Amino acid sequence: MKVENILQDLEKRKFKPVYWLEGDEDFFIDEIMDYAEASILSEAEAGFNRTTIYGRDADWSSVVNNCMGYPMFGEKKVVLLREAQFMKDIDKLQNYITKPLASTMLFVAYKGKKVDGRGKLAKTLKEHAVFFTSNKLYENELPLWVRKQTGSRGLTITNNALSLFIDHIGNDLNRITNEIDKIAPNLAARREITADDIENFVGISKEYNIFELQEALAKKDLYKAIRIAHYFESNPKAAPLQLIFPSLYSFFSKVQMIYTTPSSSEKALAQDIGVPDWKIKDYTGAARKYDSQSIERNILLLHYYNLKSLGVNDGGTSDGQLLKEMLVKMIKD
């Protein structure tokens, strides 16, 4: 079940006794837990009928005891089990989950983990609970998700701003929403987020960033690439090597896929390699500039210089110098 479906059912007051929320993406788990905490019970009911338990401090019996109490001055009792991944005997909740009290709604936040799908608990959850697995979004899923977030606030975002935003922040969904909320009040009467807004309110340079460096490499523009590397060297926090290397590896890996992906159109190719439609020209352009062997060499260079940045076979060369040396080899060799 998707997070949207769970939230829609809760809003329609189509309640179930047990909600098990697990997985690697905290954002969606928090979204459901926060709704359950704030919106199911009225303020007056919550004082009597809402209980929050933390897995670090609880055992299975205390959770079940709280669930077995009947609501006072209301129809429902809400029990929120947070940090459930730290509860040692959580498997013992199985018996309660099999026969839960209908008037209690138990929400379990089991972050960063998944129950063993072969075990009895997993089978019980799938049969008797709302069982939600929260997964990290893939790179090609982020643009649509960001557009939904801006759209829900009555805003739009330009393609350039979106690329700049995602390439800098990645799939940190909590930070993305926080930054959108920070930008929104500064737009005044405007409703569109531009690259200038990202630069002014998020603190990302629209000229000197990983996205622009990637574009310079794609076009074999050595002058622009070195200019960006100089900026990074003078502003170490703007783009540390630990962010640059994975971003460039992802870029070149997708370019490499183009050589072996038989697609009938750019739209189909974008879907096959996992990038937004409007970014595919960056990748096809790079594929025309580099042959397959060059792309493979660049990926090996990334691995080599990543090791050097960690001190392997290197006597202390600065990050800035390593980056410039790598860029020259990628573009010129």
Side-chain angles (χ1 to χ4, degrees), residues 36-319:
E37 182 172 29
S39 302
I40 293 176
L41 302 178
S42 68
E43 188 174 345
E45 290 173 323
F48 295 100
N49 298 316
R50 188 181 66 212
T51 302
T52 300
I53 304 169
Y54 290 89
R56 290 181 184 274
D57 308 317
D59 57 24
W60 71 274
S61 61
S62 61
V63 175
V64 171
N65 286 339
N66 274 283
C67 289
M68 292 303 292
Y70 287 93
M72 297 176 62
F73 311 111
E75 296 180 356
K76 290 291 181 182
K77 181 173 184 178
V78 174
V79 177
L80 305 167
L81 176 55
R82 297 184 180 273
E83 299 180 357
Q85 67 273 18
F86 298 114
M87 202 168 94
K88 295 179 181 179
D89 53 1
I90 197 163
D91 286 356
K92 293 183 179 179
L93 291 178
Q94 180 186 338
N95 288 338
Y96 174 79
I97 294 169
T98 303
K99 295 181 179 179
L101 192 65
S103 58
T104 295
M105 298 174 67
L106 170 63
F107 290 83
V108 181
Y110 194 72
K111 291 182 177 180
K113 289 186 176 183
K114 297 177 183 179
V115 295
D116 186 348
R118 300 163 298 179
K120 292 182 179 179
L121 178 59
K123 293 176 182 177
T124 299
L125 289 168
K126 291 174 183 177
E127 185 175 349
H128 297 283
V130 174
F131 189 35
F132 171 67
T133 299
S134 182
N135 295 315
K136 292 283 187 184
L137 293 183
Y138 291 111
E139 181 183 348
N140 63 320
E141 295 176 307
L142 281 171
L144 178 60
W145 189 84
V146 173
R147 289 192 189 281
K148 284 183 177 179
Q149 292 300 308
T150 54
S152 68
R153 294 160 173 79
L155 305 174
T156 60
I157 184 168
T158 66
N159 287 342
N160 285 341
L162 184 60
S163 290
L164 189 58
F165 200 40
I166 291 173
D167 288 342
H168 182 78
I169 296 178
N171 65 349
D172 186 340
L173 304 190
N174 281 305
R175 186 180 170 196
I176 287 173
T177 54
N178 289 338
E179 295 293 354
I180 293 172
D181 288 337
K182 186 168 69 176
I183 293 169
N186 292 288
L187 296 179
R190 290 189 297 113
R191 308 311 298 165
E192 184 175 65
I193 300 172
T194 66
D196 287 333
D197 297 320
I198 302 298
E199 183 173 35
N200 293 333
F201 306 122
V202 181
I204 308 166
S205 170
K206 65 179 181 180
E207 292 185 63
Y208 303 103
N209 56 72
I210 296 174
F211 173 67
E212 291 295 323
L213 177 61
Q214 177 181 295
E215 186 177 88
L217 279 168
K219 295 178 179 179
K220 286 196 170 184
D221 187 340
L222 182 59
Y223 173 74
K224 181 178 179 180
I226 295 300
R227 186 155 48 90
I228 294 171
H230 276 305
Y231 177 83
F232 290 164
E233 188 173 25
S234 302
N235 301 271
K237 293 183 179 180
L241 288 183
Q242 291 73 24
L243 291 179
I244 294 172
F245 288 147
S247 178
L248 295 184
Y249 176 80
S250 175
F251 175 74
F252 283 119
S253 296
K254 286 179 170 58
V255 174
Q256 191 176 45
M257 291 171 64
I258 291 175
Y259 304 118
T260 56
T261 304
S263 298
S264 56
S265 66
E266 286 191 340
K267 184 174 182 179
L269 181 61
Q271 186 173 0
D272 287 342
I273 71 171
V275 300
D277 297 354
W278 46 269
K279 287 188 73 173
I280 189 60
K281 290 187 184 297
D282 295 341
Y283 295 85
T284 55
R288 289 191 291 270
K289 290 282 187 179
Y290 299 89
D291 60 25
S292 181
Q293 288 183 331
S294 297
I295 293 295
E296 186 175 344
R297 185 198 68 238
N298 286 352
I299 290 173
L300 291 173
L301 282 170
L302 283 166
H303 178 66
Y304 174 72
Y305 278 94
N306 181 49
L307 291 176
K308 285 178 74 71
S309 73
L310 298 172
V312 178
N313 298 323
D314 185 79
T317 309
S318 70
D319 285 358

Side-chain angles (χ1 to χ4, degrees), residues 1-9 28 132 145 148:
M1 182 174 280
K2 294 182 178 180
V3 62
E4 295 87 353
N5 301 127
I6 295 173
L7 290 173
Q8 286 171 5
D9 283 350
F28 300 123
F132 171 67
W145 189 84
K148 284 183 177 179

